[in-house]
Amino acid sequence: MKKYGKDNQKYPIKYHPAVKRDDISHLPPNIQNRIIKAIETRLTTKPEKYGIPLRGTLKKYWKLKVGDYRVVYKIDSSKVIVLGIRHRAIDDIGITGEAE
């Protein structure tokens, strides 16, 4: 059993169903791999360190920059919920809703 603590906390990743269906599947394979690798390496270890908190009405959400793409996520106690992946030029930040 893994030991969880402040220094070695591992955050499981949950994807909103629309992220897999609509966001990731529509990206070119090389971009898909780059984003998935960033999520799996950065957000599972230190999501607060690598992410940028959003402001205003979205202050409970975070974004991770991966090249020209933004991964919008929420830190929910012991897990990270990925809510959307969008190109930075798109105005819609891509919050699709809560994960099931």
Side-chain angles (χ1 to χ4, degrees):
M1 187 171 204
K2 288 185 180 180
K3 181 180 176 184
Y4 292 106
K6 192 170 187 169
D7 295 331
N8 61 352
Q9 172 108 20
K10 294 289 184 183
Y11 292 86
I13 303 292
K14 284 194 78 159
Y15 291 88
H16 186 279
V19 171
K20 289 184 175 183
R21 182 185 65 237
D22 300 331
D23 297 347
I24 294 175
S25 66
H26 290 100
L27 297 172
N30 63 324
I31 301 296
Q32 287 180 17
N33 293 335
R34 185 174 178 195
I35 290 173
I36 290 169
K37 182 178 178 182
I39 290 170
E40 291 175 357
T41 58
R42 297 179 192 167
L43 298 187
T44 58
T45 56
K46 297 181 181 176
E48 303 93 351
K49 176 182 176 184
Y50 293 108
I52 299 167
L54 298 179
R55 297 181 294 191
T57 59
L58 301 172
K59 67 181 177 181
K60 63 181 180 175
Y61 300 105
W62 296 71
K63 71 179 173 182
L64 173 69
K65 294 180 179 182
V66 183
D68 286 340
Y69 289 84
R70 304 297 180 257
V71 177
V72 177
Y73 63 96
K74 179 179 179 181
I75 304 168
D76 185 19
S77 64
S78 62
K79 67 180 176 268
V80 172
I81 303 168
V82 177
L83 300 170
I85 300 170
R86 295 289 188 272
H87 192 275
R88 69 180 178 89
I90 298 174
D91 290 334
D92 174 18
I93 63 164
I95 296 176
T96 55
E98 299 296 322
E100 296 174 355

